[in-house]
Structures are given as structure tokens and as C-alpha cells.
Amino acid sequence: QVHVVESGGGLVQAGGSLRLSCAASGPTLARNAMGWFRQAPGKERDFVAATSWSGSTTSYADSVKGRFTISRDNAKNTLYLQMNGLKPEDTAVYYCAAKIGMVVRTEAADYEYWGQGTQVTVSS
């Protein structure tokens, strides 16, 4: 059973930075892709960023390109999301997700394992 736990959320003023972490435990998934999604109140769960196992392939939502960076440390089974230049519009619960396959996808339905979310609030 794969267990995913994200952390690092908090309250930050506009223009600030946060670094989210996602720790995976249990059986490892060979060359699996992982990603970050977010959900604001009353809205759908949206794609933020995803990365392949090696990190050679990454994908970002247009709204976060140039501001967010996804990375992973496979030795620690940990995924990261460095968020810079935060905007109030980034306020949401952020979810870490892992998929069985190695292909990077941007749809939530393609991911099998999910964390329970960490709140990111950006004040104006």
C-alpha cells in the first residue's frame, strides 16, 4: 500500500515563497510519474505540475510557469514543489499525487495515489 503525505503549506504574503514536500512510503513504484494538483473553494481540482521519475520530463500549468518548480529526490522518495512569486490566486489546498505508470499526465484521473492536502494561503 502506497501512502502519500504532503507538507509545507502555510500563510504567506503575495510575492513570497513556499516549498511543499511530498513523502511517499510503502512499496516503491518503478519509474513512476508524480504531480501536484490544487483545489480552491468551489472549484475543480486543477493540475499544477508533474515530473517523470528521472526529472527529465516536467509539465506545468500555464498559470504557474516561471514561478513554480517541481523536483524529486528518489533516494528519499520525496517530491517537492518550490513556489516563488506567489499570488493570491494561488491560494488553494495542494495535493501530491503518484501514478502507477511512468508517463507524465496532467489529469487527476490518471493518478492512483493521493495525499490529503496541505493548505496554501497567499494574502494580498
Side-chain angles (χ1 to χ4, degrees):
Q1 184 71 41
V2 174
H3 187 56
V4 179
V5 179
E6 58 270 86
S7 62
L11 175 64
V12 64
Q13 70 178 53
S17 298
L18 284 173
R19 188 194 192 201
L20 305 184
S21 298
C22 171
S25 62
T28 58
L29 302 176
R31 299 174 60 83
N32 68 297
M34 296 185 71
W36 291 95
F37 294 77
R38 66 187 182 185
Q39 187 168 21
K43 296 186 178 297
E44 300 290 330
R45 185 170 298 188
D46 293 328
F47 170 75
V48 176
T51 182
S52 62
W53 179 86
S54 67
S56 61
T57 301
T58 58
S59 182
Y60 295 92
D62 289 340
S63 59
V64 305
K65 286 181 179 177
R67 299 189 297 122
F68 291 10
T69 302
I70 188 171
S71 62
R72 65 194 298 173
D73 184 339
N74 293 328
K76 298 180 179 179
N77 288 330
T78 302
L79 180 74
Y80 302 98
L81 184 68
Q82 179 66 46
M83 305 185 294
N84 299 325
L86 284 163
K87 306 174 181 179
E89 294 74 27
D90 295 317
T91 295
V93 176
Y94 283 69
Y95 297 89
C96 175
K99 66 190 300 288
I100 294 175
M102 67 181 71
V103 178
V104 173
R105 296 294 190 189
T106 61
E107 295 291 333
D110 290 318
Y111 291 77
E112 291 80 19
Y113 306 102
W114 291 84
Q116 292 185 277
T118 184
Q119 177 71 47
V120 172
T121 302
V122 184
S123 62
S124 60

